[in-house]
DNA sequence: TTGTAAGCGTTATCAA
DNA sequence: TTGATAACGCTTACAA
């Protein structure tokens, strides 16, 4: 591997001159500049990353930690954040915790497991001397296991952190739930069932709040019997639809598209036509929402926006002199996507 | 930041002793070992990654370059490769080229665009001194733009490289196409249409070869009029189904599930029942394959296997003394997933 | 405009 | 079992 010293010898200049030229410093004659760049090209010189960073104070690098790249929400957030970092001329370093791959579903409520894989990664990014970190959670919740002595500028995407130690960017679930119910009522529905996610999940709770606000606005009393809790997968959508069958509902809000898929199965089995006999809205705007028939009206998650917001927030933190931690939670709105799963009543 | 020197002073030993202990070298007394680790804990010492790697000869790091993390095939390959690297105690560094995000579909056949984003990344991993690289392509093809002077041990996943400069792990598309047709003939079908992918695509060509082998085996003459070329998306599946409508086919093999989704749309429109009036098999085993009704019989891509094979191959290359480049192409078989989209004839 | 020389924090070598 | 000391390749004062 050719070094600065060797380049210097080749060009009959000193190493510092070469270094200055390589780093675009002023005060070099055009002639030597060209000579050096010529030599760089000829030799295929690559600066030694480690030597360079050892000397530098700032690496101008942001680390993006993903809990789970396989989670559908992760990649859009990550890519948008990367794009934003690049625009501001920060390098990005991606770390993938592979939580799902390692622990299946069991890590969701087991912070010890998370901690055991997070801790070495945190050490690593600290020894890499990144300027800041964006933590992209695999599912929304309150994360409790960040070590007390961790003080890198950090923004959390798709979840929050205990005690609001770091700013976080999350879905506006309350508004999302509100929007879906409001859409159904605007189409004339008043007997509206809800297939919620897991009962203790933060998305579930927030969206339910939004649903209740919408119902209240429309002077529809909230009927707890019309809400059943699933666990986000297709099968649980099917089961939940069955549970709601006796309630004579005209519409159901399913808190994700996968469970809505289960409702389609149940409806087909019962000879019920979605979009006619029964109206249905989902959530997430997964690919299946477009492929099922009729297409599901749903809510597109603002994943790119979350990624951009997270990166922007972090970069602005890095830019400001005062490293005061702002306890801020930014909620980003989703977007109603109208397809054909809802009938207009009356 | 606390350094080795400071630790040494604290423990009344020399920096080299501290270093030896930190790196688990033998020949240290238990007493000093404990003293040093104690100090590490107390101070929260983090080794300086850059200083360490500058001095080391091998970083025991493998770089995984993804053309496109957003591509459905990428993450499973990448995560499996990561797991394999970890098992062999290699660190992994993920790079995401974000080709789709940057260029939409236009980069597919524009190697200049690829090169413009690849080239700096290649420089970077060379200056990071990784031991080897796994390149995870976003779509199957022959990649032509690796620079001549690039000599890092490399394995290509999901694509191949011009002149077979590097070993590659790809889908066994020929067998995949063969399997799907054989399944249809085993169910009694003989009038089988094919909705292929883009005509110049390597997956398309290989699978078509497999289809022809299967037809030949079954003594069914290959009828070019029963093959139409789509461009992998739902809409093109719809159009292709329409084109094939007059041919009185009993079955269609669609080269991906998304196009099969388009066939469902067409069939529904025409009052044709999939799995009864018309049989259909897809490819890829995307999530929609399970959600459409009836579920699509399809072929599950061996993505994890590709990731594992790529990592294993690279690691074995790194292990062997002779760095002779093996021009090897490993084809990994997919797996038939049977659902309900195919009727048994006769 | 260019050169000299001193680090950066670690690991490797060799001697004690 | 431990300790001096010399790298590693680069950047950066400061001197010329």
């Amino acid at each position: 591997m050719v070094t600065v010293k060797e380049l210097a010898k080749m060009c009959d200049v000193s190493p510092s001159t070469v270094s200055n030229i390589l780093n675009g410093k002023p005060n070099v004659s055009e002639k030597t500049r060209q000579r050096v760049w010529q030599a760089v090209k000829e030799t295929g010189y690559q600066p030694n990353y480690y030597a360079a960073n050892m000397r530098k104070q700032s690496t101008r690098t942001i680390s993006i930690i993903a809990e789970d790249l396989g989670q559908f929400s992760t990649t859009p957030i990550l890519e948008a954040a990367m794009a934003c970092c690049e625009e501001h001329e920060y390098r990005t370093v991606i770390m993938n915790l592979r939580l799902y791959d390692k622990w299946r579903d069991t890590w969701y409520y087991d912070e010890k497991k998370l901690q055991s894989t997070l801790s070495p990664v945190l050490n690593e990014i600290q020894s890499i001397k990144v300027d800041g970190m964006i933590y992209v959670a695999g599912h929304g919740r309150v994360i409790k296991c960040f070590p007390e002595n961790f003080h890198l500028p950090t923004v959390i995407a798709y979840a929050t952190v205990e005690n609001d130690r770091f700013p976080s960017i999350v879905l506006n679930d309350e508004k999302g739930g509100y929007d879906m119910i409001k859409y159904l009522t605007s189409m004339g529905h008043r007997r509206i069932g809800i297939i919620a996610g897991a009962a203790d999940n933060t998305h579930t709770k927030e969206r339910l709040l939004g649903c209740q606000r919408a119902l209240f606005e429309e002077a529809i009393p909230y009927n707890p019997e019309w809400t059943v809790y699933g666990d986000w997968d297709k099968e649980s959508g099917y089961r939940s639809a069955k549970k709601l069958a006796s309630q004579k509902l005209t519409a159901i809000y399913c808190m994700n598209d996968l469970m809505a898929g289960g409702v389609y199965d149940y409806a087909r089995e019962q000879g019920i036509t979605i979009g006619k006999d029964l109206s249905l809205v989902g959530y997430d705007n997964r690919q299946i929402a477009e492929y099922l028939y009729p297409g599901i009206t749903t809510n597109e998650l603002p994943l790119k926006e979350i990624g951009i917001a997270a990166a922007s927030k972090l970069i602005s933190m890095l830019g400001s002199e005062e490293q005061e931690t702002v306890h801020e939670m930014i909620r980003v709105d989703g977007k109603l996507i109208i397809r054909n799963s809802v009938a207009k009543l009356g």
Side-chain angles (χ1 to χ4, degrees), chain A:
Chain A
M1 277 258 104
V2 45
T3 68
V4 166
K5 219 185 258 179
E6 291 171 301
L7 282 181
K9 205 168 284 173
M10 283 179 62
C11 301
D12 261 332
V13 290
S14 76
S16 41
T17 302
V18 174
S19 173
N20 285 335
I21 290 171
L22 258 30
N23 293 297
K25 297 269 162 69
N27 297 332
V28 243
S29 79
E30 194 50 36
K31 213 162 48 175
T32 46
R33 186 193 306 281
Q34 286 185 0
R35 199 144 36 104
V36 167
W37 278 116
Q38 178 63 24
V40 166
K41 261 189 199 134
E42 278 169 19
T43 57
Y45 166 78
Q46 295 287 344
N48 181 314
Y49 177 78
Y50 300 106
N53 279 305
M54 187 170 61
R55 286 294 280 147
K56 286 185 192 157
Q57 65 294 20
S58 152
T59 54
R60 235 191 141 69
T61 298
I62 288 172
S63 167
I64 306 183
I65 298 189
E67 286 191 336
D68 212 325
L69 273 183
Q71 192 68 13
F72 81 98
S73 49
T74 300
T75 304
I77 295 176
L78 186 138
E79 295 210 325
M82 281 184 75
C84 189
C85 291
E86 262 176 40
E87 266 170 41
H88 291 81
E89 294 181 315
Y90 279 94
R91 289 180 63 246
T92 52
V93 171
I94 304 170
M95 313 286 227
N96 180 15
L97 264 28
R98 289 195 300 115
L99 260 17
Y100 185 78
D101 204 26
K102 282 181 189 145
W103 313 107
R104 297 292 120 178
D105 285 339
T106 66
W107 64 270
Y108 277 31
Y109 299 102
D110 186 341
E111 296 254 328
K112 286 239 173 81
K113 284 180 178 169
L114 170 54
Q115 189 151 24
S116 71
T117 74
L118 178 58
S119 166
V121 172
L122 254 27
N123 287 343
E124 190 173 328
I125 67 167
Q126 272 171 305
S127 85
I128 278 178
K129 294 202 280 192
V130 300
D131 297 346
M133 150 177 132
I134 298 169
Y135 186 91
V136 184
H139 81 283
R141 67 195 194 282
V142 180
I143 300 171
K144 293 178 182 151
C145 68
F146 275 93
E148 284 297 324
N149 61 354
F150 183 77
H151 295 302
L152 196 68
T154 294
V155 173
I156 312 289
Y158 212 71
T160 57
V161 159
E162 201 177 30
N163 304 330
D164 293 330
R165 288 175 56 196
F166 308 115
S168 56
I169 323 286
V170 295
L171 297 176
N172 190 343
D173 281 309
E174 200 275 346
K175 178 167 187 304
Y178 174 87
D179 284 349
M180 301 319 281
I181 298 296
K182 279 297 249 191
Y183 176 71
L184 288 173
T185 59
S186 79
M187 296 292 277
H189 294 275
R190 297 186 63 84
R191 300 183 65 87
I192 301 172
I194 298 173
I195 299 181
D200 51 357
N201 179 281
T202 151
H203 297 305
T204 301
K205 289 189 273 190
E206 297 277 312
R207 286 176 203 167
L208 212 45
L209 246 33
C211 292
Q212 291 174 359
R213 177 162 65 94
L215 290 169
F216 184 76
E217 257 186 41
E218 299 292 329
I220 302 172
Y222 175 71
N223 183 342
E225 290 191 6
W226 293 357
T227 296
V228 297
Y229 295 88
D231 57 11
W232 304 112
D233 67 9
K234 191 184 184 203
E235 172 58 25
S236 85
Y238 178 93
R239 282 199 311 271
S240 304
K242 196 179 232 168
K243 280 190 208 154
L244 290 172
S246 57
Q247 304 288 350
K248 306 224 164 101
L249 305 170
T250 65
I252 293 177
Y253 163 41
C254 243
M255 285 198 189
N256 76 359
D257 294 335
L258 303 189
M259 293 194 295
V263 178
Y264 275 70
D265 284 348
Y266 180 75
R268 189 180 306 112
E269 207 177 280
Q270 301 293 315
I272 297 167
T273 304
I274 300 282
K276 216 176 107 198
D277 309 329
L278 176 67
S279 293
L280 187 64
V281 293
Y283 214 84
D284 292 351
N285 196 29
R286 297 289 287 267
Q287 189 168 42
I288 56 159
E290 189 193 338
Y291 279 77
L292 283 170
Y293 182 83
I296 313 177
T297 292
T298 188
N299 192 294
E300 185 178 56
L301 302 186
L303 301 173
K304 291 197 175 185
E305 291 79 354
I306 289 179
I308 293 168
S312 308
K313 181 76 202 164
L314 180 61
I315 289 167
S316 85
M317 284 162 64
L318 297 179
S320 76
E321 296 298 305
E322 333 143 31
Q323 288 287 19
E324 26 87 57
T325 319
V326 199
H327 311 309
E328 194 179 353
M329 178 146 91
I330 300 172
R331 296 172 189 277
V332 189
D333 295 349
K335 183 176 144 202
L336 183 70
I337 305 285
I338 297 177
R339 295 201 177 85
N340 305 306
S341 59
V342 176
K344 177 112 190 163
L345 285 197

